[in-house]
Amino acid sequence: MKIAMGADHAGYRLKDELKPLIESLGHEVQDYGCSCADSVDYPDYALAVCEKVAAGDADKGILICGTGIGMTIAANKVPGIRCALVHDLFSAKATREHNDSNVLALGERVIGPGVAQEIVKIWLETEFSEGERHRNRVNKVKALEDKYAVHP
Protein backbone atom coordinates (compact mmCIF):
# COMPACT_ATOMS: atom_id res chain seq x y z
CA MET A 1 0.00 0.00 0.00
CA LYS A 2 0.93 3.62 -0.41
CA ILE A 3 0.81 5.39 2.94
CA ALA A 4 0.76 9.20 2.94
CA MET A 5 2.22 10.71 6.11
CA GLY A 6 2.22 14.21 7.48
CA ALA A 7 3.08 15.89 10.75
CA ASP A 8 3.46 19.30 12.24
CA HIS A 9 6.37 20.53 14.35
CA ALA A 10 5.04 18.63 17.39
CA GLY A 11 4.79 15.32 15.53
CA TYR A 12 7.60 15.16 12.99
CA ARG A 13 9.94 13.14 15.24
CA LEU A 14 7.38 10.36 15.67
CA LYS A 15 6.63 10.45 11.93
CA ASP A 16 10.31 9.94 11.21
CA GLU A 17 10.45 7.04 13.71
CA LEU A 18 7.41 5.32 12.18
CA LYS A 19 8.49 5.49 8.54
CA PRO A 20 11.04 2.63 8.74
CA LEU A 21 8.47 0.37 10.43
CA ILE A 22 5.88 1.06 7.73
CA GLU A 23 8.44 0.39 4.99
CA SER A 24 9.55 -2.84 6.74
CA LEU A 25 5.92 -4.00 6.53
CA GLY A 26 6.17 -3.68 2.75
CA HIS A 27 4.43 -0.35 2.28
CA GLU A 28 5.56 2.72 0.36
CA VAL A 29 5.70 5.92 2.43
CA GLN A 30 4.83 9.27 0.87
CA ASP A 31 6.13 11.97 3.27
CA TYR A 32 4.35 15.33 3.07
CA GLY A 33 6.34 16.94 5.89
CA CYS A 34 7.10 18.68 8.08
CA SER A 35 10.66 17.86 9.03
CA CYS A 36 11.60 20.46 11.62
CA ALA A 37 10.71 21.91 15.01
CA ASP A 38 9.81 25.33 13.56
CA SER A 39 6.18 26.17 14.26
CA VAL A 40 3.89 25.26 11.35
CA ASP A 41 0.12 24.97 10.89
CA TYR A 42 -1.23 21.41 11.18
CA PRO A 43 -4.17 21.95 8.76
CA ASP A 44 -1.70 22.39 5.90
CA TYR A 45 -0.22 18.93 6.48
CA ALA A 46 -3.59 17.29 7.13
CA LEU A 47 -4.85 18.66 3.82
CA ALA A 48 -1.80 17.48 1.87
CA VAL A 49 -2.20 13.92 3.15
CA CYS A 50 -6.00 13.77 2.99
CA GLU A 51 -6.22 15.09 -0.55
CA LYS A 52 -3.94 12.23 -1.65
CA VAL A 53 -6.03 9.63 0.19
CA ALA A 54 -9.35 11.06 -1.04
CA ALA A 55 -8.08 11.13 -4.63
CA GLY A 56 -6.83 7.54 -4.45
CA ASP A 57 -3.19 8.56 -4.87
CA ALA A 58 -2.50 6.99 -1.45
CA ASP A 59 -4.29 4.02 0.07
CA LYS A 60 -4.22 5.35 3.64
CA GLY A 61 -2.84 8.26 5.59
CA ILE A 62 -1.18 8.83 8.93
CA LEU A 63 -1.14 12.24 10.61
CA ILE A 64 0.77 13.24 13.73
CA CYS A 65 0.70 16.37 15.86
CA GLY A 66 1.17 16.97 19.57
CA THR A 67 -2.17 15.47 20.61
CA GLY A 68 -3.59 14.24 17.30
CA ILE A 69 -6.72 16.30 17.92
CA GLY A 70 -6.02 19.16 15.54
CA MET A 71 -5.02 16.80 12.74
CA THR A 72 -8.20 14.75 13.26
CA ILE A 73 -10.45 17.80 13.12
CA ALA A 74 -8.78 19.13 9.96
CA ALA A 75 -8.67 15.73 8.26
CA ASN A 76 -12.35 15.05 8.74
CA LYS A 77 -13.23 18.23 6.84
CA VAL A 78 -11.97 16.59 3.62
CA PRO A 79 -14.74 14.70 1.81
CA GLY A 80 -14.10 10.97 1.75
CA ILE A 81 -11.86 10.96 4.80
CA ARG A 82 -12.65 8.96 7.92
CA CYS A 83 -9.86 9.92 10.28
CA ALA A 84 -9.62 8.27 13.68
CA LEU A 85 -7.58 9.57 16.61
CA VAL A 86 -6.06 6.49 18.25
CA HIS A 87 -3.92 6.13 21.36
CA ASP A 88 -4.55 2.47 22.25
CA LEU A 89 -4.38 -0.92 20.55
CA PHE A 90 -8.07 -1.81 20.88
CA SER A 91 -9.16 1.39 19.12
CA ALA A 92 -6.62 0.85 16.34
CA LYS A 93 -8.24 -2.47 15.50
CA ALA A 94 -11.84 -1.34 16.07
CA THR A 95 -11.61 1.75 13.87
CA ARG A 96 -10.51 -0.35 10.92
CA GLU A 97 -12.97 -3.20 11.52
CA HIS A 98 -16.01 -1.06 12.35
CA ASN A 99 -15.43 2.39 10.83
CA ASP A 100 -13.24 1.60 7.81
CA SER A 101 -11.01 4.53 8.78
CA ASN A 102 -8.65 5.56 6.02
CA VAL A 103 -6.56 8.04 8.01
CA LEU A 104 -4.97 7.49 11.41
CA ALA A 105 -4.10 10.37 13.74
CA LEU A 106 -1.62 10.08 16.58
CA GLY A 107 -0.40 12.42 19.30
CA GLU A 108 3.37 12.43 19.80
CA ARG A 109 2.98 14.11 23.19
CA VAL A 110 0.39 11.54 24.29
CA ILE A 111 2.00 8.19 23.42
CA GLY A 112 5.53 6.94 23.06
CA PRO A 113 7.10 5.47 19.95
CA GLY A 114 6.66 1.85 21.10
CA VAL A 115 2.89 2.16 21.49
CA ALA A 116 2.68 4.19 18.29
CA GLN A 117 4.47 1.43 16.37
CA GLU A 118 2.05 -1.21 17.66
CA ILE A 119 -0.94 1.00 16.82
CA VAL A 120 0.30 1.61 13.27
CA LYS A 121 1.03 -2.08 12.71
CA ILE A 122 -2.42 -3.14 13.93
CA TRP A 123 -4.16 -0.36 11.98
CA LEU A 124 -2.38 -1.22 8.73
CA GLU A 125 -2.95 -4.97 9.08
CA THR A 126 -6.62 -4.86 10.09
CA GLU A 127 -9.24 -5.07 7.36
CA PHE A 128 -12.73 -3.56 7.40
CA SER A 129 -15.10 -6.27 8.64
CA GLU A 130 -17.57 -5.76 5.78
CA GLY A 131 -20.31 -6.67 8.24
CA GLU A 132 -23.69 -5.37 7.17
CA ARG A 133 -24.24 -3.23 10.26
CA HIS A 134 -20.79 -1.64 9.93
CA ARG A 135 -21.20 -1.07 6.19
CA ASN A 136 -24.60 0.56 6.84
CA ARG A 137 -23.11 2.88 9.45
CA VAL A 138 -20.22 3.91 7.21
CA ASN A 139 -22.75 4.61 4.46
CA LYS A 140 -24.74 6.80 6.86
CA VAL A 141 -21.59 8.77 7.59
CA LYS A 142 -21.05 9.19 3.84
CA ALA A 143 -24.66 10.37 3.50
CA LEU A 144 -24.05 13.00 6.20
CA GLU A 145 -20.99 14.14 4.32
CA ASP A 146 -23.00 14.42 1.10
CA LYS A 147 -25.84 16.27 2.84
CA TYR A 148 -23.57 18.97 4.21
CA ALA A 149 -21.09 19.17 1.34
CA VAL A 150 -20.80 22.52 -0.36
CA HIS A 151 -21.32 22.09 -4.08
CA PRO A 152 -20.05 24.80 -6.44
Side-chain angles (χ1 to χ4, degrees), residues 9-52:
H9 57 281
Y12 82 94
R13 286 173 295 275
L14 183 57
K15 174 181 61 74
D16 290 345
E17 288 185 42
L18 291 172
K19 284 168 42 177
L21 167 72
I22 295 166
E23 291 169 341
S24 77
L25 295 171
H27 306 295
E28 175 187 330
V29 173
Q30 302 168 335
D31 189 337
Y32 292 95
C34 91
S35 297
C36 68
D38 298 336
S39 183
V40 297
D41 298 329
Y42 62 83
D44 298 336
Y45 299 91
L47 181 62
V49 167
C50 291
E51 284 184 332
K52 294 298 180 184

Side-chain angles (χ1 to χ4, degrees), residues 116-152:
Q117 289 174 356
E118 289 301 315
I119 288 169
V120 167
K121 187 172 187 233
I122 289 167
W123 188 77
L124 289 173
E125 293 175 350
T126 302
E127 296 293 327
F128 180 51
S129 72
E130 296 292 342
E132 184 178 353
R133 72 176 195 252
H134 300 303
R135 193 171 40 255
N136 289 341
R137 292 170 186 156
V138 170
N139 287 336
K140 284 185 176 190
V141 170
K142 290 176 184 176
L144 285 172
E145 184 177 82
D146 291 342
K147 179 178 178 178
Y148 291 101
V150 177
H151 301 286

